[in-house]
Amino acid sequence: MQPFERILQGGDRRSIGNSNQVVAQVLRQPARFAELIHCLWSPEPVVRMRAADAAEKVSLTQPHLLAPFQPELFALAAQTKQPELRWHLALMIPRLRLSASQRDAIADVFRMYLDDRSSLVKTCALQALFDLSRGSPDAETEVGALLERVCRTGTPAMKARARNLLKQLGGR
């Protein structure tokens, strides 16, 4: 059984490499999710990126696997400057069961992502803020106003996502 760090190495950040192989292994052996999460702090940017891709894919069907790592994921989201980590964390973290204060704290981080140079980071941050707002009328109103503003001023990808999310809020 090869370590995930080794499986995820090599090549450049334009490729997901063997991250889908890692996803399949974790889905068969969920106990290895901790090893995958550990790779988010690898000294190699390509390993971090591919680990984030794999962890995000696993969390689509197994979001409960994220729960033990919530404090570490929050801290990483607040600290990382790597775009690939940012966009994957923005998609993963809202899948956690969070208290209102935890939602507010991480929403502040994702609002900072709206100033990132990467359009993809900004677009994923919009999705994260939308997901975190669900079920809170005040937060939904705030996010609705943000989405309306983005429809006028965002990048093409952000505008498209904002229009879609506004429809889900009830056609604002």
Side-chain angles (χ1 to χ4, degrees):
M1 187 164 45
Q2 233 182 3
F4 288 154
E5 180 109 16
R6 179 172 290 159
I7 294 170
L8 296 172
Q9 288 176 339
D12 62 44
R13 287 160 59 177
R14 292 174 293 178
S15 163
I16 61 168
N18 294 319
S19 66
N20 287 335
Q21 176 186 341
V22 171
V23 171
Q25 286 184 30
V26 171
L27 291 175
R28 282 192 310 270
Q29 298 175 298
R32 292 194 72 192
F33 191 69
E35 178 188 352
L36 175 59
I37 291 295
H38 179 75
C39 291
L40 295 174
W41 286 269
S42 170
E44 296 183 44
V46 72
V47 172
R48 292 192 304 264
M49 184 266 314
R50 290 176 182 162
D53 177 68
E56 193 266 318
K57 288 174 179 173
V58 168
S59 74
L60 274 170
T61 60
Q62 305 292 322
H64 65 279
L65 293 176
L66 294 169
F69 308 100
Q70 181 264 322
E72 293 89 348
L73 293 173
F74 271 38
L76 182 60
Q79 295 167 352
T80 188
K81 302 294 184 223
Q82 185 174 341
E84 300 92 347
L85 284 182
R86 284 183 160 196
W87 80 61
H88 286 296
L89 289 166
L91 296 174
M92 279 191 287
I93 289 175
R95 296 176 185 152
L96 287 161
R97 294 182 125 178
L98 302 173
S99 69
S101 63
Q102 289 171 322
R103 279 193 307 274
D104 291 345
I106 199 63
D108 287 343
V109 171
F110 295 143
R111 280 188 206 92
M112 288 189 310
Y113 284 14
L114 296 173
D115 294 325
D116 197 280
R117 288 189 338 249
S118 166
S119 177
L120 186 51
V121 170
K122 293 177 189 179
T123 302
C124 291
L126 283 176
Q127 182 70 54
L129 291 167
F130 174 82
D131 291 343
L132 291 168
S133 75
R134 301 308 284 173
S136 169
D138 290 343
E140 286 182 4
T141 298
E142 180 185 327
V143 167
L146 170 64
L147 294 171
E148 288 171 351
R149 188 169 61 251
V150 168
C151 282
R152 295 187 304 275
T153 63
T155 66
M158 291 173 69
K159 288 178 180 179
R161 180 68 57 98
R163 283 191 302 271
N164 183 29
L165 295 174
L166 280 170
K167 288 179 190 173
Q168 293 179 48
L169 276 180
R172 301 179 111 208

